[in-house]
Amino acid sequence: MAKMKGGELIADYLVRQRIPYVFGICGHGNVGILDPLYEVRDRVKLVSPRHEQCAGHMADGYFRVRHEPVATLTSTGPGSANLVMSLATALSDSSALLAITANVPTSQANRAPFQEIYRHNQADFPSVLRPVVKRSFQPSRVDMLPLALRQAHDTMVTGRPGPVNLDVPYNVFQEEDDVEVPPASPGLGSHRPGASDADVAAAVELLAGARRPVLFIGQGATLSEAGPEITALSQRLGIPVITSPNGMGCVPADDPLTLGFIGRNGAYPANQAGRHADLVVTIGTRFDDRSSSTWHPGYSWNFPKTKLVHVDIDPQELGRNYPPTLGVIADAKTFAAQLIAALSQRGDVTRANFAGWRAEIAKWQAEWEKFIRPNFSAVTTPIRPEYVVGALIDVLPRDVILSLDSGVHHNWFMQFWKPQHAQSMLNSWGYSSMGFGVCGVLGAQLAAPERTCVAVVGDGGFMMAPHVVATAVEYNLPCIWIVWNNFAWGAIRDIQYGMFEGREYGTAFYKGNQGPGGERYNPDFAAWARACGADGVTVTRSEDLRGAVAAAVKNRRPCVIDLHVDSEVRP
């Protein structure tokens, strides 16, 4: 063992664990670790955005693209409190990140020093974070750090991944002790529990007895990187796949067996298949309100009339909203492979079993296509939402990473976007946090520097974190932000219109707060980008959209496209 400062130990552990980035902002509480990070700057790079919430969303976006965690660093008090939103987002969507927060010195605990939360317990900031992390560790001495670091990393990436907090009193960064840097731990996917033979056999029997089966996959399938196995299963049996937004890209988007998203903002063929299925094999999804039409029978699903095989690595999700016919605790990739192997042992479950079902689904797909397709070529001013999605499908590279913020625009992309790769459509699905797509694209670009990374964000969401453009310029990140500008909190305004006889209040943006009938107002987003040193373009005509996006992709510079979209066309 060697005598080391706490900050040196943490920095060396990040190196040993091959964590390439720390996203964070300096403060008096964490200044003691900045010098150790300086010493390892060639192996662990500190990237400092202009807001701590952005740092958390960046770490979340990075993990979603690479499935490798990075760390955040925030100071005592407000700096760490700003991280709550991004940790809640990461926890809801099972994204792993190590949130290193600073706290008051141990010698001052419970004396109400500067920025201590002390009313119920000394140095009590971890109580703020406990609902939004898998676990919070608070080592109060340097010799407690090795165990806390190892346990924190293992907790992040085993089972269902998620964020973990390491809360460090700021004297511990500079105090010394005889300690040893813990060995590196395995990463995500090193533990892949499988189903029992009995459960696999039961699932095969349910498939053998079905005539209208569907697969429903989500974030659990994406995290397990189970796309090849699920695609092989779907193709072997010729059965359709319904995807949650976080499951999109796992299976080929252009395949007739891929039906898209289900639920109140989903696609018609997916909802028809869900409500008419006699067996649903669910892998890594949890039947939240949006993917189940708020659990109303007959809208998207018909449980318990429809039989349900529910597979998830997290036992808490089994039966949360629908009682399964068969509940299986297993890794998605492992289970899909087990099912394929078991099916190969018998010859009575084949594509021929489900030919009639596929023909029925094809009719629904043709109806949906006839209904939606004309609007993809409608040239209008302002621009129709369908035209925007279609233009981006045409112009953006096939390996583009799309970072979507919360808002009305997200509904259109859930219905129509066709990601060509897994881990390339990033959504704040569980917590639906405004700002995730705006900031997460920075982390995605660092995770995949050679790929085109595009954030499609609402005008309201962009204004919550417009400082991202400055960070992109500072770190030379060629991110593109397409601002879906409808001069409103559009998703909520549409609900208000529908519920209250067309009245709106507090949901649209007007100059001078004039209200309906007045001049609509937003800042000049393109000018904002240029003020930051990025490219900025305003697009109000359909004819100009493809050229603007193509130029932004070609230029490989930070760019904001202020896109005026027709606010009267609703999902």
Side-chain angles (χ1 to χ4, degrees):
M1 293 187 183
K3 193 170 284 294
M4 301 179 70
K5 292 182 177 180
E8 294 170 340
L9 176 65
I10 295 171
D12 286 355
Y13 180 74
L14 296 178
V15 171
R16 179 165 290 185
Q17 199 61 61
R18 297 186 178 179
I19 291 177
Y21 289 103
V22 174
F23 302 144
I25 295 180
C26 61
H28 78 280
N30 63 23
V31 70
I33 195 176
L34 296 182
D35 201 53
L37 288 175
Y38 175 83
E39 293 299 323
V40 298
R41 65 192 182 280
D42 58 332
R43 289 160 289 174
V44 181
K45 183 176 177 61
L46 176 65
V47 176
S48 182
R50 303 306 176 102
H51 195 282
E52 290 87 355
Q53 181 180 336
C54 185
H57 288 323
M58 288 172 65
D60 187 350
Y62 186 99
F63 178 79
R64 293 183 196 228
V65 172
R66 293 185 67 96
H67 288 169
E68 298 170 3
V70 291
T72 62
L73 178 64
T74 52
S75 189
T76 317
S80 293
N82 282 340
L83 204 60
V84 171
M85 176 68 80
S86 41
L87 290 174
T89 305
L91 185 73
S92 296
D93 287 337
S94 307
S95 280
L97 66 98
L98 177 62
I100 303 171
T101 57
N103 212 321
V104 299
T106 54
S107 62
Q108 297 180 8
N110 212 33
R111 302 184 72 175
F114 184 50
Q115 295 180 334
E116 182 189 22
I117 294 177
Y118 63 91
R119 295 294 178 92
H120 301 288
N121 196 39
Q122 69 277 0
D124 203 19
F125 183 73
S127 289
V128 176
L129 295 189
R130 283 191 182 103
V132 297
V133 295
K134 284 186 73 176
R135 176 75 191 270
S136 181
F137 298 86
Q138 193 180 43
S140 55
R141 304 187 309 270
V142 175
D143 67 345
M144 296 171 67
L145 278 171
L147 180 62
L149 285 164
R150 180 178 61 79
Q151 290 181 339
H153 184 273
D154 291 349
T155 301
M156 274 196 302
V157 297
T158 54
R160 182 179 182 174
V164 168
N165 171 227
L166 184 74
D167 190 67
V168 184
Y170 68 73
N171 56 297
V172 174
F173 290 129
Q174 283 292 294
E175 289 177 354
E176 293 183 332
D177 206 336
D178 294 321
V179 288
E180 189 172 349
V181 180
S185 299
L188 186 73
S190 57
H191 305 284
R192 294 193 178 276
S196 68
D197 292 342
D199 282 345
V200 174
V204 170
E205 287 301 324
L206 286 166
L207 280 167
R211 287 298 172 264
R212 299 184 305 279
V214 299
L215 296 168
F216 179 36
I217 66 170
Q219 179 75 324
T222 297
L223 289 167
S224 182
E225 300 182 9
E229 289 77 11
I230 292 171
T231 300
L233 180 61
S234 170
Q235 295 294 333
R236 181 187 187 92
L237 299 180
I239 60 177
V241 183
I242 297 168
T243 59
S244 82
N246 282 339
M248 288 182 175
C250 274
V251 292
D254 297 321
D255 192 291
L257 292 173
T258 301
L259 304 186
F261 178 53
I262 196 169
R264 64 177 175 87
N265 298 125
Y268 173 71
N271 279 288
Q272 284 289 85
R275 66 170 66 99
H276 290 289
D278 61 1
L279 172 67
V280 178
V281 179
T282 293
I283 303 177
T285 56
R286 54 191 175 82
F287 292 110
D288 68 298
D289 58 313
R290 287 186 287 176
S291 64
S292 60
S293 295
T294 316
W295 309 289
H296 288 304
Y299 280 77
S300 295
W301 308 107
N302 269 307
F303 305 117
K305 180 181 176 182
T306 302
K307 293 179 180 178
L308 172 62
V309 176
H310 195 166
V311 183
D312 205 287
I313 201 168
D314 184 353
Q316 293 188 64
E317 297 301 344
L318 300 183
R320 180 183 294 280
N321 291 309
Y322 295 119
T325 310
L326 174 65
V328 181
I329 303 168
D331 168 75
K333 189 180 187 76
T334 303
F335 175 81
Q338 288 178 297
L339 200 53
I340 292 169
L343 286 165
S344 68
Q345 301 301 311
R346 51 189 297 172
D348 61 337
V349 188
T350 67
R351 289 181 66 93
N353 296 37
F354 314 117
W357 179 226
R358 289 193 296 276
E360 199 171 354
I361 287 169
K363 292 178 182 177
W364 296 328
Q365 289 174 312
E367 287 181 66
W368 179 238
E369 184 68 15
K370 182 179 178 181
F371 177 73
I372 65 170
R373 191 51 51 191
N375 292 323
F376 279 76
S377 57
V379 176
T380 60
T381 301
I383 307 170
R384 280 193 71 98
E386 302 97 326
Y387 187 95
V388 175
V389 180
L392 296 185
I393 289 173
D394 290 345
V395 175
L396 291 175
R398 286 179 63 84
D399 68 345
V400 66
I401 296 172
L402 202 66
S403 180
L404 292 164
D405 210 55
S406 176
V408 70
H409 62 281
H410 192 225
N411 297 325
W412 295 103
F413 280 85
M414 284 192 292
Q415 285 192 343
F416 299 133
W417 186 249
K418 295 184 180 296
Q420 302 299 317
H421 300 273
Q423 298 150 241
S424 65
M425 182 179 178
L426 314 185
N427 313 274
S428 175
W429 184 240
Y431 212 62
S432 193
S433 312
M434 282 188 151
F436 164 78
V438 185
C439 302
V441 70
L442 296 168
Q445 191 72 77
L446 288 165
E450 73 289 349
R451 291 168 67 181
T452 299
C453 294
V454 178
V456 181
V457 303
D459 47 343
F462 183 75
M463 283 302 291
M464 290 190 175
H467 46 78
V468 291
V469 183
T471 301
V473 172
E474 183 177 357
Y475 289 93
N476 195 29
L477 300 175
C479 303
I480 300 168
W481 288 267
I482 298 176
V483 180
W484 190 282
N485 191 350
N486 55 18
F487 296 88
W489 306 108
I492 310 308
R493 186 207 55 183
D494 290 351
I495 295 172
Q496 194 176 48
Y497 277 168
M499 292 182 68
F500 304 114
E501 300 174 349
R503 293 187 295 275
E504 71 171 46
Y505 186 65
T507 54
F509 308 143
Y510 294 101
K511 185 170 287 187
N513 197 28
Q514 298 169 37
E519 181 183 353
R520 298 195 303 174
Y521 169 74
N522 253 328
D524 185 336
F525 298 124
W528 167 265
R530 292 192 294 271
C532 291
D535 295 336
V537 182
T538 300
V539 175
T540 59
R541 304 189 316 154
S542 304
E543 302 94 319
D544 300 330
L545 176 56
R546 283 177 170 80
V549 175
V553 172
K554 180 181 178 181
N555 291 340
R556 294 289 292 174
R557 282 175 40 80
C559 180
V560 173
I561 298 175
D562 182 359
L563 182 63
H564 290 216
V565 181
D566 193 336
S567 62
E568 301 307 315
V569 181
R570 295 175 177 84

